[in-house]
């Protein structure tokens, strides 16, 4: 059996090194591993790594970290697609509606088939269909990847769905892509016009040596346009085709690491720590798209003081998205945050906007003292952000949606270091601080 987690070898307990004065995206060239101890093997717990960082198993060509300005441009593409999708815009590809150029930042390594073949895949809470490249995958139609390309003919547990199977008939208009030699064909279309197509299939998914998902349903992709060297993508959305919906647990959590030089984690099922350590808020419904997980932000505090923003400003809700970098707030809330933050940061000289961020300070020269910033969600769930979730390269690391009526986005910069628990069965989202 091919080892499924080479990354566990990187385990080390090192001291936190969150440098808020420089980019929280910037990382040292070496992987510092995990900042927390790894739980007992009875839990489904996988290391999760920044795609571009030294902890990533991907080749070094993948490790160039895009500029903040590029990330923000890609953020806009992604979040515009999410919002158009939520609005029921039929011109947006209904399966995912997000741009592959967008910042899918994190990967996990799993095993697929029997014997298990190691596959490093992107991790996405904003989509449902999982897929990996499968042989035959001609170079003109597939992308190069680091792992061996999955070969269905060599897996003892692989099976393609037939066109008449209930699973194939239930794929839905957006994903169903006809029949080829009586095998069920799927398509996943992305917001930038690219797609993945192939045979809808099932096989054994190995998450940890002790935890496998038999009959995991995924797309065996024989053609796609994908610029990353990952083997494919794991969809963790709330829709019927996602990994989460396919498993009995109906719950998962992840912790996005503070820098690309650290590993975070992904767990399937209920977290291993006591539920009392999470602040919990109900999931909030936006539109009728099952894929996205949303919450209701109700207020923001800066240095312990609540911003004077009417709750109605937040009433469109916010999508939790691991693939968007910066949190996007309703315009009125963003302006209030900006004003309060400037006041608390008045001891630092203001500098010109940079990288698309408009509230920047000269914080060079030693220890920067940041005011505390907390997001307050429905039922009083108060999430006090980590330093790495407040500024990036000296600039306030938030953006505006541009109005007070569009849904906001809770992005991955603000989620870093929290264990974010999605209790899909119980329709709640929990946050546990300092988890990785
Ligand atoms: C899928 O992508 C390929 C390559 O870019 C393109 O030729 C094809 O038209 C796309 N198919 C659909 C249905 O979008
Ligand atoms: C920031 O302040 C330092 C001195 O503390 C100065 O040398 C540097 O030029 C300043 N940078 C900017 C961009 O103003």
């Amino acid at each position: 059996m091919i080892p499924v987690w080479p990354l566990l070898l990187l385990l080390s307990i090192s001291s936190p090194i969150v440098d808020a004065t420089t980019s929280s995206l910037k990382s040292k060239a070496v992987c510092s591993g995990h900042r927390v101890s790894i739980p007992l093997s009875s839990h489904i717990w996988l290391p999760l790594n920044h795609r571009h960082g030294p902890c990533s198993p991907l080749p070094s060509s993948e490790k160039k970290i895009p500029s903040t300005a590029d990330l923000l441009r890609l953020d806009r593409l992604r979040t515009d697609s999410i919002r158009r999708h939520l609005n029921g815009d039929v011109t947006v590809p209904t399966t995912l509606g997000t741009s592959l150029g967008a910042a899918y930042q994190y990967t996990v390594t799993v095993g697929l088939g029997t014997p298990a073949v190691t596959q490093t895949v992107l991790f996405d809470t904003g989509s449902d269909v999982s897929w990996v490249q499968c042989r035959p995958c001609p170079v003109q139609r597939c992308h190069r990847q680091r792992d061996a390309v999955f070969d269905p003919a060599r897996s003892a547990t692989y099976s393609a769905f037939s066109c008449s199977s209930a699973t194939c008939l239930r794929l839905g208009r957006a994903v169903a892509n006809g029949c080829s030699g009586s095998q069920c064909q799927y398509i996943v279309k992305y917001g930038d016009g690219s797609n993945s197509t192939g045979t809808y299939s099932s096989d054994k998914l190995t998450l940890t040596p002790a935890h496998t998902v038999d009959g995991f349903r995924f797309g065996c992709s024989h053609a796609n346009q994908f610029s990353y060297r990952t083997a494919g993508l794991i969809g963790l959305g709330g829709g019927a085709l996602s990994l989460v919906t396919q498993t009995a647990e109906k719950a998962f959590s992840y912790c996005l690491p503070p820098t690309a030089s650290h590993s975070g984690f992904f767990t399937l099922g209920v977290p291993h720590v006591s539920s009392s350590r999470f602040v919990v808020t109900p999931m909030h419904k936006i539109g009728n798209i099952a894929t996205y997980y949303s919450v209701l932000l109700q207020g923001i505090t800066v240095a312990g003081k609540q911003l004077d923003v009417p709750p109605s400003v937040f009433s469109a809700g916010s999508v939790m998205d691991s693939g968007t970098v910066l949190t996007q707030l309703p315009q009125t809330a963003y302006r209030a945050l900006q004003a309060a933050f400037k006041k608390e940061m008045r001891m630092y000289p203001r500098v010109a906007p940079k990288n698309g961020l408009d509230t920047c300070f000269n914080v060079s020269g030693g220890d920067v003292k940041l005011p505390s910033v907390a997001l307050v969600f429905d039922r009083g769930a108060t999430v006090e952000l980590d330093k790495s979730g407040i500024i990036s390269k000296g600039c306030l690391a938030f953006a505006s949606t541009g109005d007070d009526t569009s849904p906001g986005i809770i992005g991955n910069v603000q989620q870093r270091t929290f264990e974010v628990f999605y209790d899909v069965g119980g329709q709640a989202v929990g946050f546990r601080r300092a988890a990785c």
Side-chain angles (χ1 to χ4, degrees):
M1 170 111 87
I2 295 165
V4 176
W5 16 81
L7 299 175
L8 285 188
L9 299 174
L10 302 171
L11 167 68
S12 73
I13 315 286
S14 60
S15 57
I17 36 158
V18 180
D19 181 2
T21 63
T22 56
S23 168
S24 50
L25 296 173
K26 197 187 277 178
S27 57
K28 296 188 305 176
V30 295
C31 178
S32 308
H34 291 279
R35 302 200 301 171
V36 294
S37 54
I38 288 175
L40 299 173
S41 60
S42 58
H43 292 92
I44 307 178
W45 194 96
L46 285 77
L48 174 146
N49 290 299
H50 197 288
R51 178 167 64 89
H52 299 290
C55 298
S56 164
L58 297 177
S60 51
S61 60
E62 281 285 294
K63 291 184 179 166
K64 192 176 154 286
I65 297 186
S67 71
T68 310
D70 280 346
L71 286 176
L72 297 186
R73 195 173 41 75
L74 297 170
D75 261 13
R76 290 284 169 200
L77 286 176
R78 179 172 172 103
T79 57
D80 286 352
S81 296
I82 292 175
R83 287 196 196 90
R84 280 161 56 206
H85 195 199
L86 286 169
N87 275 334
D89 182 340
V90 291
T91 65
V92 180
T94 44
T95 308
L96 178 52
T98 53
S99 167
L100 277 196
Y104 282 101
Q105 302 257 302
Y106 298 97
T107 61
V108 291
T109 300
V110 297
L112 187 64
T114 308
V117 177
T118 299
Q119 303 275 281
T120 294
V121 290
L122 296 171
F123 160 97
D124 187 29
T125 55
S127 67
D128 295 325
V129 178
S130 302
W131 59 270
V132 298
Q133 296 200 111
C134 285
R135 281 187 195 285
C137 216
V139 284
Q140 317 89 291
R141 295 201 290 158
C142 294
H143 63 267
R144 292 207 294 149
Q145 66 176 58
R146 168 190 172 267
D147 299 315
V149 175
F150 182 69
D151 187 351
R154 291 196 176 183
S155 172
T157 42
Y158 173 85
S159 144
F161 286 103
S162 74
C163 300
S164 57
S165 64
T167 299
C168 190
L169 295 171
R170 276 203 306 263
L171 275 187
R173 201 162 46 92
V175 180
N177 195 31
C179 215
S180 173
S182 87
Q183 292 183 341
C184 181
Q185 302 297 297
Y186 79 96
I187 181 163
V188 190
K189 293 184 199 167
Y190 297 96
D192 63 355
S194 62
N195 57 64
S196 157
T197 61
T199 304
Y200 204 63
S201 309
S202 72
D203 206 339
K204 182 159 136 179
L205 177 69
T206 301
L207 293 168
T208 77
H211 297 95
T212 58
V213 179
D214 289 330
F216 169 61
R217 298 188 285 282
F218 68 100
C220 218
S221 183
H222 299 298
N224 60 81
Q225 293 276 304
F226 212 60
S227 57
Y228 305 146
R229 299 289 175 89
T230 54
L233 178 149
I234 291 272
L236 292 162
L241 302 175
S242 122
L243 169 63
V244 182
T245 312
Q246 289 185 40
T247 58
E249 283 83 3
K250 302 278 181 286
F252 69 98
S253 71
Y254 58 73
C255 188
L256 307 179
T259 74
S261 298
H262 291 90
S263 293
F265 61 83
F266 164 69
T267 74
L268 196 61
V270 170
H272 64 282
V273 298
S274 160
S275 61
S276 65
R277 290 172 61 189
F278 286 83
V279 295
V280 177
T281 191
M283 281 186 188
H284 177 78
K285 205 90 200 98
I286 305 180
N288 56 4
I289 306 292
T291 303
Y292 303 117
Y293 302 108
S294 301
V295 290
L296 189 60
L297 185 62
Q298 291 196 314
I300 299 171
T301 68
V302 175
K305 291 187 288 277
Q306 177 107 16
L307 301 181
D308 184 17
V309 177
S312 61
V313 162
F314 298 104
S315 60
S318 301
V319 176
M320 297 288 306
D321 188 27
S322 61
T324 298
V325 179
L326 294 188
T327 290
Q328 294 179 8
L329 298 171
Q331 185 162 37
T332 301
Y334 178 71
R335 294 238 171 94
L337 170 64
Q338 195 185 26
F341 191 73
K342 276 191 222 165
K343 197 171 150 215
E344 295 298 328
M345 293 289 284
R346 59 188 178 273
M347 62 286 223
Y348 298 104
R350 283 290 296 282
V351 295
K354 50 184 177 187
N355 305 314
L357 295 173
D358 61 6
T359 310
C360 303
F361 303 87
N362 186 347
V363 292
S364 62
D367 229 8
V368 57
K369 282 184 83 162
L370 295 178
S372 65
V373 176
L375 303 179
V376 184
F377 296 98
D378 189 16
R379 309 283 157 90
T382 301
V383 175
E384 187 173 327
L385 300 178
D386 186 77
K387 270 187 169 189
S388 63
I390 300 174
I391 63 171
S392 171
K393 292 184 180 164
C395 303
L396 180 62
F398 284 82
S400 164
T401 61
D403 59 47
D404 284 350
T405 52
S406 304
I409 306 281
I410 307 297
N412 65 42
V413 165
Q414 278 68 34
Q415 295 179 40
R416 285 181 202 160
T417 71
F418 285 91
E419 179 171 8
V420 185
F421 170 39
Y422 295 76
D423 180 0
V424 181
Q427 288 289 295
V429 176
F431 298 86
R432 179 172 69 90
R433 63 195 305 269
C436 68

